[in-house]
Amino acid sequence: MPLRPADLTRRKQGGLAITMLTAWDALSAAVVAGAGVDAVLVGDSLAMVVLGHATTLPVTLEEMLHHCRAAGRGLAAAAAHHPPLLICDLPFLSYQCGADEAVAAAGRVLKETPAVAVKLEGAEPETLTVIDRMVRSGIPVMGHLGLTPQSVHQLGYRRQAGDPVSQERLRRRALALQEAGCFALVIEHVPAELASELSASLVIPVIGIGAGDGCDGQVRVTADLLGLTSRQPPFSPPLMEGRALAVEVLGRWVREQGPAAAPAPTPATRPASPAAPHC
Ligand code: KIV
């Protein structure tokens, strides 16, 4: 049986840790499923990690659907009998332009991919309305507070909720998300004591990243844990130097093939060639 959102609550009630990792395609989904995670998130961080954008803002709903379908195929192949819960991020501006459009975007995730839930950022009054509409339409929603990368131009990538006023605001927003019907909450880059306190006070599971060890569960961007990214967040240290390792072993393979080609001629000495075809 695939995991359901309610299973995460049962894990919290049973005092069991919850693990969630990101995936962006069939290959990475199969790897994280093989590791035995409870939940796989097709996060909009794929905009930066995989698509090479500077922020998460440019990724589109179509791209999220495409990558989520691929991740779903990877899970089906790797963990056919007990697949983890598959969750897809709603990208920037797919849920901020009115409740109808937001429900339609979340509905597309459930209709067109094997994901069983969506995640979205923030707890503004409009966002709470949208979450309520989604939940009442049968769409499970995971919230996301603290450092919310879709608000990078307002918040930066700094640690959030550092002072008592913003901590109180975060407490109110977390409770509002629970009351709006979120089945779980991701909390990113906030003080560990606050995250522990929220984990203890909320009924829904609190899944932390850069939020200390006292949360009900932990989520990480898989490429960060594997050391594959060039810009590593300070609150998510790598478990291995995957990028350097890959460059080294692939470089060894390249060298084993024989002497490298001579350097290309400089433009000044290169012979004239016909225009490149448009292909
Ligand atoms: O997009 C993402 O990968 C995320 C995680 C950092 C939780 O939202």
Side-chain angles (χ1 to χ4, degrees), residues 186-234:
V186 165
I187 191 137
E188 181 166 355
H189 209 14
V190 301
E193 311 73 55
L194 179 62
S196 302
E197 182 202 313
L198 288 174
S199 301
S201 64
L202 293 180
V203 174
I204 59 174
V206 174
I207 305 181
I209 173 167
D213 299 334
C215 299
D216 301 308
Q218 296 290 333
V219 55
R220 294 291 183 274
V221 174
T222 300
D224 290 339
L225 277 191
L226 296 179
L228 293 174
T229 47
S230 51
R231 282 175 301 178
Q232 201 75 34

Side-chain angles (χ1 to χ4, degrees), residues 129-219:
T129 303
V130 154
I131 293 170
D132 177 64
R133 281 276 308 273
M134 287 177 187
V135 172
R136 287 194 293 113
S137 309
I139 303 170
V141 181
M142 178 179 267
H144 185 156
L145 291 178
L147 195 174
T148 45
Q150 291 180 13
S151 307
V152 60
H153 297 310
Q154 287 169 329
L155 305 179
Y157 290 121
R158 283 185 302 279
R159 193 171 82 137
Q160 301 297 307
D163 61 88
V165 172
S166 49
Q167 289 177 0
E168 191 46 37
R169 181 164 176 264
L170 191 81
R171 285 187 194 97
R172 280 200 309 274
R173 285 157 65 88
L175 191 59
L177 286 179
Q178 174 171 283
E179 283 169 357
C182 285
F183 72 89
L185 171 64
V186 165
I187 191 137
E188 181 166 355
H189 209 14
V190 301
E193 311 73 55
L194 179 62
S196 302
E197 182 202 313
L198 288 174
S199 301
S201 64
L202 293 180
V203 174
I204 59 174
V206 174
I207 305 181
I209 173 167
D213 299 334
C215 299
D216 301 308
Q218 296 290 333
V219 55

Side-chain angles (χ1 to χ4, degrees), residues 86-130:
L86 182 61
I87 302 161
C88 184
D89 257 345
L90 286 178
F92 181 59
L93 286 198
S94 68
Y95 59 95
Q96 291 94 338
C97 302
D100 289 345
E101 206 179 301
V103 174
R108 284 194 67 192
V109 171
L110 265 60
K111 282 168 85 85
E112 299 177 30
T113 82
V116 300
V118 297
K119 177 167 82 58
L120 51 75
E121 297 180 5
E124 300 314 314
E126 306 77 22
T127 314
L128 296 173
T129 303
V130 154

Side-chain angles (χ1 to χ4, degrees), residues 241-261:
E241 296 301 328
R243 192 185 181 98
L245 190 64
V247 169
E248 197 220 308
V249 296
L250 296 176
R252 201 182 311 147
W253 179 85
V254 168
R255 289 188 295 280
E256 281 167 6
Q257 307 316 306

